[in-house]
Amino acid sequence: MDRIAIIGCGGSGKSTVARQLARILGAPLTHLDALYYDEHWTPLPQDEFAAQQEKLVTGERWIIEGNYASTLPIRLAAADIVIFLDLPATACLRGIAQRRWRYRGGQHRTDGVYDRITMNFVRYILDYRHTMRPRVRNLLQEHGPHVQLVTLTSRRHANRYIDRVQQERSR
């Protein structure tokens, strides 16, 4: 478990799983939202965003969390493991509601939380399994046939996975 890409719908728990794995494995963690947005929510130009990821994936060990399908092939080509949080829309909506309650919106770089709920974001979550999931699966087949794919379909499933990694590391 040296190079881990964590992907999934907004609100699925990517940042939480990434933080927990980084703590257990002692691996450097990058939240793609922290690369993509500045403090004024201005996105990085696409070519710079891709170049930053090209640099990141040259590291021996890393955890990178975030979807960003346009640059996913960069991470897939270098990853050993891809953790795909494939939760239902209701769970993801509940996740963004809990995040809003806990963080009260805004950017919280140390936690990897970028909480900006818009109607477009809500639509993205509602449509994710119909629009983005097939695209992600195609990208996985095309650019990541060598990776170990771990698909987690619920928060309980994610918690069990984290527990299993913790137990294996403790041995």
Side-chain angles (χ1 to χ4, degrees):
M1 295 186 84
D2 290 323
R3 296 178 305 276
I4 304 169
I6 301 175
I7 58 176
C9 185
S12 63
K14 294 182 302 294
S15 295
T16 300
V17 168
R19 281 192 310 272
Q20 291 172 331
L21 284 175
R23 179 185 48 77
I24 293 166
L25 301 172
L29 169 59
T30 300
H31 301 283
L32 288 181
D33 283 345
L35 283 182
Y36 190 65
Y37 292 111
D38 70 12
E39 65 276 2
H40 305 292
W41 294 102
T42 305
L44 195 63
Q46 190 64 29
D47 59 337
E48 288 180 45
F49 186 52
Q52 293 261 354
Q53 289 179 66
E54 291 281 0
K55 259 192 237 175
L56 284 171
V57 300
T58 62
E60 260 185 59
R61 299 184 72 227
W62 47 260
I63 297 172
I64 301 173
E65 73 85 9
N67 226 24
Y68 296 97
S70 63
T71 58
L72 184 55
I74 295 167
R75 288 167 274 140
L76 292 177
D80 299 323
I81 297 174
V82 172
I83 298 173
F84 182 23
L85 290 158
D86 188 18
L87 278 66
T90 52
C92 294
L93 290 171
R94 194 170 29 254
I96 64 166
Q98 289 170 339
R99 181 169 65 203
R100 173 54 57 98
W101 177 256
R102 182 174 182 190
Y103 290 96
R104 306 286 188 232
Q107 298 178 358
H108 303 272
R109 287 181 178 270
T110 56
D111 290 336
V113 173
Y114 288 74
D115 187 21
R116 186 170 146 188
I117 300 172
T118 64
M119 280 311 295
N120 283 342
F121 186 51
V122 171
R123 273 193 293 278
Y124 169 79
I125 290 170
L126 291 171
D127 293 341
Y128 185 88
R129 280 188 150 184
H130 301 292
T131 58
M132 282 304 298
R133 179 169 63 174
R135 184 174 174 200
V136 167
R137 291 209 183 274
N138 287 338
L139 288 168
L140 280 161
Q141 284 181 338
E142 186 177 342
H143 300 280
H146 62 283
V147 303
Q148 176 189 349
L149 176 62
V150 176
T151 303
L152 306 173
T153 57
S154 70
R155 296 198 192 288
R156 182 178 306 155
H157 196 187
N159 289 336
R160 284 186 193 143
Y161 180 76
I162 295 295
D163 289 345
R164 190 168 48 248
V165 171
Q166 175 72 58
Q167 289 170 0
E168 289 172 6
R169 275 305 216 200
S170 299
R171 292 181 192 167

